[in-house]
Amino acid sequence: MAKPLVFAGSPLDRAGLRRRDASWIAAQLAREDSRFLPFWRLNVLVKTAKPELAWATSDIRAASEPRTGPVLLGVRGDVAHFAVDVSALVDPVAELGLAGAASFVEVRAAAATLSADDAAIVAQGRQMLDWHARHRFCAVCGHATSVKEAGYLRECDECDAQHFPRTDPVVIMLVASGDRCLLGRQAAWPAQMYSALAGFIEAGESIEEAVRREVAEEAGIAVGDVRYFASQPWPFPSSLMIGCIAHAESEAVTVDKAELEDARWFTRAEILRSLAQPGAGGMFVPPPLAIAHHLIRAWAEAES
Ligand SMILES: [Zn+2]
């Protein structure tokens, strides 16, 4: 694939080796040219006049949650970039004096208009700040934890247990059988939308095993060969989507109604038609924001 999928491909150098350098971090936090990206209740600050991130200066730290950051996103040139959580504000746009200039936008909606570089930066910031918001207390002893290493570690104030940000792997697979592919839909989705089956990888499972188990559970189809396609960060809240093409070894679909409203085979011609004209033939697939779109398109457009 030529271009990274949406939410991947950040232009920042994550500067992982500098996170433990407390004096360097303190110097970057204080610099006037360091950039701070405000998030309010996981929504990101975007300029009103054009679809660009509305970076703030160090002054914004006065409004930020001291127990959730700031989080170092990375460095571009020699300028450090941080995410800050201003969720404690009640009316953030007014309190920050931003009326008319910028507003806080839900990240999926923002990603639809932001550049690929900006969307990737937002994904990192949203996932990190969400993790901090959910991990203020130690999972071992229940006491408060404190931010360390520029936001990449929380350490218990009482028992010294260390807690690191997590990413949850999810398999998402296009199940193919000759000229047909298997897609499903959940009852809560928009009417007529069908997508690739997906599910979380469980403990002690390989990617291939998770693909076979999920397809068997959700649709009753046996899968043989599994081939990796591409991956996509999905910060809602902390997934990594691992896209695969899976080859079916059985035909009869048995839908798990607890998970899916429907699952069925579509021909390549039906998929190509719905890609060209969403809704044609009574179905459409997810938009290009999602890896499912690229997985389905790649299979449909491949030489058969
Ligand atoms: Zn503890």
Side-chain angles (χ1 to χ4, degrees), residues 113-168:
T113 60
L114 291 171
S115 69
D117 282 359
D118 278 359
I121 290 168
V122 171
Q124 182 189 5
R126 186 193 194 281
Q127 183 168 334
M128 289 298 294
L129 293 181
D130 183 66
W131 176 74
H132 280 284
R134 294 166 187 258
H135 292 79
R136 296 185 187 187
F137 299 94
C138 178
V140 178
C141 77
H143 280 84
T145 57
S146 294
V147 181
K148 300 279 171 70
E149 299 189 4
Y152 290 80
L153 166 64
R154 293 190 75 96
E155 198 167 72
C156 179
D157 299 344
E158 181 69 20
C159 78
D160 296 337
Q162 295 187 323
H163 305 281
F164 297 93
R166 318 310 297 196
T167 295
D168 305 316

